[in-house]
Amino acid sequence: MQNIMSAASEWLLPLIVGSILLFGFVKRVPIYNTFVDGAKGGFATSIKLIPHLVAMVVAVAVFDASGAMSILVKLLTPLLQWLHIPPEVAPMALLRPISGQGSLAFMVNIFGNSKQGPDSWLGMLASTMQASSDTTLYILTVYFGSVGIRKFRYAMGVGLLSDFVSVLASVFAVSLLSGMIHV
Amino acid sequence: MIDFIWLVLFLVGIVTAMFTGNMSKVADAIIHGSERGVTLSIGLISVIALWLGLMNIAERAGAIAWLSKLLRPVARFLFPSVPADHPAMGAILANMSANLLGIGNAATPLGLKAMHELQTLNPDKDTASDAMCTLLAINTASITLIPTTVIAIRMQYHSQHPTAVVSTTLVASAIGTAFAIVLDRVFRRFSRRRRAA
């Protein structure tokens, strides 16, 4: 089963690309020119994102570099413990909606810890948290920024609340399945 | 809302630095943070161009139309304000299936396309419509089948079971997505009532 799953994750991307190309060819679509035509839009879309990403990345970098992030984590630790969220993953949970790379760095940190490692309970929890949610603030910024939406209404509240639920659900899922998959 | 969060991140950061003596790090973060924002955007060109190109082929070949038929009932329930034959519906469906497959890189350009189409239906151009909020709720929570990046990193750290995370992720992200959809509905109703008043 393990082999099938890891093969699936490696094969998935090439298989998707291959079947799109083959499907287009069979349907007599001029695949090369159609690809180039569509890909052109990638440049304009990315360039439009620059001001939005510069604004958000700088703000998060300032918040983190000042030490405010680690103070926030310390303040929230008792609450997180009460919710059965280990303090070791607290900074990761807080950073997850703000920065995908930031929370990934915390996950790698847990993997690299000789006492823990990726197969430990904590390692599984960090993996699941990273995989089951997304960088909410980034998505909000990018998606709304690309069409010029300035008033987000309730979208940020829904996004952040469901991130919180995802963290709790990760703790639940790892607790539930850790017995079955022998971590 | 975004003005407030943006300001708080900066002000709290700068004030904290006064007490922690990290002012030089903050100065550094201001300069290099903007640089990282630009690098990140430029780095996205490759991924977005690749998937926009591939999706252009899929779309012309009729794959999106086929997929739309399959997922239409779900999307109709989630996006009652989008006409079934509008291009936004096709983009939403493609975005949903990319998220489902865990090809996150493909989901973003498709989501951006959906957002662009939804904006044509939006009467108030700087305020998010109901459908836009739902699209974001689905994208930020996103059910994931195969978390490629996490599995790759687990392998690098000599995990005995790198793909063990597939099952836990499926359970956790399914719960997260279900909550996101419910929360979206609840908030939508609340926001309508407030607007009507």
Side-chain angles (χ1 to χ4, degrees), chain A residues 2 34-35 38-39 46 50 53 55 57-58 66 108 118-119 127-128 131-132 134 140 143-144 147 150-151 153-154 156, chain B residues 5-6 13 20 22 33-34 41 45 49-50 53 56 115 119 126 128 130 136 139 141 147 154 157 159-160 163 168 191:
Chain A
Q2 204 62 47
T34 308
F35 177 88
S46 311
I50 291 180
L53 280 177
V57 171
V58 171
S66 67
V108 167
D119 295 325
S127 305
T128 308
S132 65
D134 221 318
L140 278 164
Y143 276 41
F144 281 153
V147 290
R150 290 203 168 76
K151 291 169 192 157
R153 287 172 67 207
Y154 52 86
M156 190 174 291
Chain B
I5 287 180
W6 206 50
T20 55
N22 285 331
S34 53
S41 314
I45 294 177
L50 173 71
N56 201 27
M115 197 50 94
Q119 180 73 320
D126 40 79
D130 286 354
L136 277 209
N139 271 280
R154 289 174 62 80
Y157 278 84
S159 164
Q160 298 297 304
T163 52
T168 54
S191 120

Side-chain angles (χ1 to χ4, degrees), chain A residues 119-138:
Chain A
D119 295 325
S120 64
W121 197 86
L122 212 55
M124 280 297 292
L125 178 60
S127 305
T128 308
M129 274 168 51
Q130 181 70 25
S132 65
S133 57
D134 221 318
T135 316
T136 301
L137 283 191
Y138 166 84

